[in-house]
Amino acid sequence: MSVTAPAAPSAPTQAFTAPRSVRWLDQLATFRAVLARDLFVTGRELGAFLAQVFIQPLFMLLIFGKVLGELGYASNDFANVLLPGVIALNAFLIGLENTALPLVMDFSFTREIEDRLLSPLSIPLVAFEKIVFGAIRGTIAGLVLIPIGMLMLGVTWPVLTALKVIVVLAAGALVGAALGLTFGTLVPPHRIQIMFTVIMTPLMFTGATQFPLRALDSLPWFQVICVLNPLTYVSEATRSLVAPPGVESVPLWLCLIVLAGVFVVATAIGTRGFLRRSMD
């Protein structure tokens, strides 16, 4: 008579999975750690970062705001138009450059992006971290230029506008970083220098940084070109907060709506390009 061993307890039919909230908390913790690492690296490269932040805009303020004013080719009020535009330009372009160029390097030469893709972080969040990091650097670039520009040009801004200016510069840096993600993932590495040559100069000079958009009513063809440039709305939003009453600007609410739309579209396109590059 044979004795049969008792059957082993059956394994659960479905493996245990952590609640969605727990998984998101883990993702956010990893996101913060990756972002903190990037910020730490910025601290170690502070000299190069400050050179990138200051050299170009300070020369623009010196020549257009100081030298031309001393020579009588620009009015004293021009500084009130120029300074907010150059600060907006700095926040936007630094956000764009500090997202696009590192991405090109990571995907083509250093392959550092592979470490990020192997981390417990979803690929869209890896892409979004790049945007946030570029936007932080862009916001810092805009803010540190404010006191220097004020001293150089003899301009004063109302203290009560400080928080609003920070919000606008952060929004502009986010849009610039989102566009940087798009360019950095869609443009082939061997063409990135051509891209910056072809795109950056038109962006700088059609972004209403040296003039108010509404002052171009007598040049409607050029006004249309400037309307298509997202930098225009960063410049106009900043100028609407700090410029004297005589300077007409696009309403702040309209600028923020346009910037929000550009950010959503650029982030979607850039994230899709990032996913495609990550699978290569």
Side-chain angles (χ1 to χ4, degrees):
M1 180 177 178
S2 60
V3 180
T4 58
S10 58
T13 56
Q14 185 174 4
F16 171 77
T17 56
R20 181 172 297 179
S21 59
V22 175
R23 296 200 302 271
W24 269 107
L25 289 176
D26 291 340
Q27 294 269 310
L28 290 177
T30 306
F31 182 92
R32 289 196 300 268
V34 173
L35 183 60
R37 177 187 178 277
D38 285 340
L39 293 175
F40 176 77
V41 172
T42 297
R44 297 183 62 180
E45 300 174 349
L46 188 59
F49 175 64
L50 292 178
Q52 182 188 25
V53 165
F54 284 120
I55 290 179
Q56 178 177 286
L58 284 182
F59 271 94
M60 290 185 67
L61 292 176
L62 176 65
I63 300 302
F64 291 104
K66 195 71 175 176
V67 174
L68 293 184
E70 293 290 337
L71 295 177
Y73 291 106
S75 65
N76 294 330
D77 294 335
F78 181 58
N80 293 312
V81 174
L82 179 67
L83 181 58
V86 172
I87 289 171
L89 169 71
N90 212 34
F92 183 89
L93 288 188
I94 294 297
L96 193 155
E97 292 175 359
N98 282 265
T99 306
L101 291 178
L103 272 177
V104 172
M105 297 292 292
D106 289 350
F107 275 120
S108 57
F109 303 111
T110 66
R111 305 301 297 177
E112 184 180 338
I113 198 67
E114 294 177 357
D115 295 338
R116 309 296 178 88
L117 298 176
L118 293 175
S119 66
L121 194 63
S122 65
I123 295 179
L125 276 180
V126 175
F128 190 69
E129 189 273 337
K130 291 290 187 180
I131 292 177
V132 173
F133 174 62
I136 290 175
R137 296 186 71 157
T139 304
I140 294 172
L143 292 177
V144 298
L145 194 63
I146 293 176
I148 298 174
M150 286 181 172
L151 289 174
M152 181 181 293
L153 301 181
V155 174
T156 57
W157 291 353
V159 178
L160 296 177
T161 63
L163 182 59
K164 294 179 180 179
V165 169
I166 293 173
V167 172
V168 167
L169 292 180
L174 276 170
V175 173
L179 290 172
L181 180 71
T182 301
F183 296 146
T185 55
L186 297 184
V187 178
H190 63 281
R191 297 187 183 275
I192 193 67
Q193 292 296 338
I194 299 176
M195 185 275 292
F196 272 97
T197 302
V198 171
I199 292 180
M200 299 299 274
T201 301
L203 275 176
M204 291 171 58
F205 290 100
T206 63
T209 55
Q210 297 96 4
F211 47 82
L213 180 67
R214 299 180 66 177
L216 296 175
D217 291 340
S218 59
L219 293 172
W221 62 271
F222 189 65
Q223 191 176 51
V224 171
I225 294 174
C226 295
V227 165
L228 299 177
N229 186 345
L231 174 58
T232 295
Y233 302 95
V234 188
S235 302
E236 288 290 292
T238 308
R239 194 174 287 122
S240 70
L241 294 173
V242 299
V247 179
E248 295 186 359
S249 303
V250 177
L252 178 62
W253 64 269
L254 179 58
C255 293
L256 294 178
I257 289 176
V258 174
L259 291 175
V262 174
F263 175 75
V264 171
V265 173
T267 300
I269 297 173
T271 302
R272 184 174 180 180
F274 190 91
L275 289 169
R276 178 180 57 81
R277 293 291 301 272
S278 301
M279 299 304 176
D280 292 343

